[in-house]
Amino acid sequence: MNPANWRTYLVTQASLSGDRTTPEIVRAAIDGGVDAVQLREKDASARSRYELGRELRELTAEAGVDLLVNDRIDIAQAIDADGVHVGQSDLPVEVARELLGPDAIVGCSTSTVDEARDAEAAGADYLGVGAVYDTSSKDVNDDQAGVGPERIAEIAAAVSIPIVGIGGITADNAGPVAEAGAASVAVISEITAAADPQAVTESLAVAVETPTAVDAGGDDR
């Protein structure tokens, strides 16, 4: 799937899933219409991430949902994922592209206009921009917490590839993120910690598709 067509994007984190497994959370999100799943689990061993990735690959492939791997290009290759997501301290976008080939999806975390332009020039297919709102989740550019929808708008005006807003996003505040120019929103705890991950995924999609109807604190326009 083209990242421009994504609306909801789940980043996995087993520590937030309570007594449920990551595959159970992913299955519920798929039932709710999630468009992309990123295998993260940075605290797990490479072997554990590989085994989990194989299970998620089966689930996502059957549902036609894109599967990406955070950082680990080798694991992405090993499980035949659709692509990889890299951060500013990971392997460069151009290296990921060279290793995975032209058909892979390569995403890159950015929080400034300069980073966004550099990632686009290097061959990224989409940008993960954030943290949009304050967040307690790790690895979401915590040192740039709360850049706001305004930063989404600035970056959207500077690049031509799709933007995925991430960081502190909920169904209640996703509207302004989409309205500012994000094609989709990525969440961790909003889905993973939810009592009903399927319903939350559905609500997020509605918030992105009809932002003015779910604009939290913004003016309808």
Side-chain angles (χ1 to χ4, degrees):
M1 183 184 296
N2 187 324
N5 296 325
W6 293 344
R7 295 296 176 266
T8 54
Y9 182 132
L10 170 64
V11 181
T12 71
Q13 186 170 328
S15 63
L16 296 173
S17 63
D19 59 358
R20 300 163 298 186
T21 67
T22 294
E24 287 174 333
I25 297 296
V26 169
R27 189 177 294 109
I30 287 172
D31 290 341
V34 77
D35 299 303
V37 173
Q38 181 188 131
L39 170 62
R40 183 173 164 275
E41 312 302 348
K42 286 203 169 187
D43 294 332
S45 68
R47 181 62 175 266
S48 295
R49 291 174 71 184
Y50 166 70
E51 296 292 350
L52 175 58
R54 290 181 61 191
E55 191 169 354
L56 297 188
R57 173 71 290 183
E58 184 175 346
L59 289 173
T60 54
E62 182 178 351
V65 170
D66 289 324
L67 176 65
L68 299 103
V69 176
N70 183 287
D71 181 20
R72 294 294 298 264
I73 295 171
D74 55 341
I75 295 177
Q77 292 174 315
I79 66 173
D80 195 27
D82 295 293
V84 68
H85 185 93
V86 296
Q88 292 297 311
S89 61
D90 297 328
L91 285 175
V93 168
E94 55 265 40
V95 174
R97 173 66 66 207
E98 181 179 352
L99 292 172
L100 293 176
D103 296 329
I105 300 172
V106 178
C108 183
S109 294
T110 64
S111 59
T112 68
V113 170
D114 286 344
E115 289 176 351
R117 286 175 171 153
D118 288 346
E120 180 180 36
D125 294 298
Y126 75 90
L127 304 173
V129 177
V132 178
Y133 304 112
D134 291 345
T135 176
S136 60
S137 298
K138 295 183 182 298
D139 299 322
V140 190
N141 287 351
D142 289 334
D143 59 331
Q144 299 286 344
V147 299
E150 297 80 10
R151 185 66 55 79
I152 296 285
E154 291 172 4
I155 292 176
V159 301
S160 59
I161 56 177
I163 291 171
V164 179
I166 186 169
I169 295 174
T170 69
D172 290 332
N173 65 24
V177 181
E179 204 166 48
S184 59
V185 295
V187 301
I188 302 176
S189 58
E190 175 72 350
I191 291 176
T192 303
D196 189 341
Q198 177 179 340
V200 169
T201 305
E202 293 169 350
S203 296
L204 281 165
V206 170
V208 173
E209 291 168 358
T210 56
T212 55
V214 198
D215 189 335
D219 295 330
D220 290 345
R221 49 188 184 271

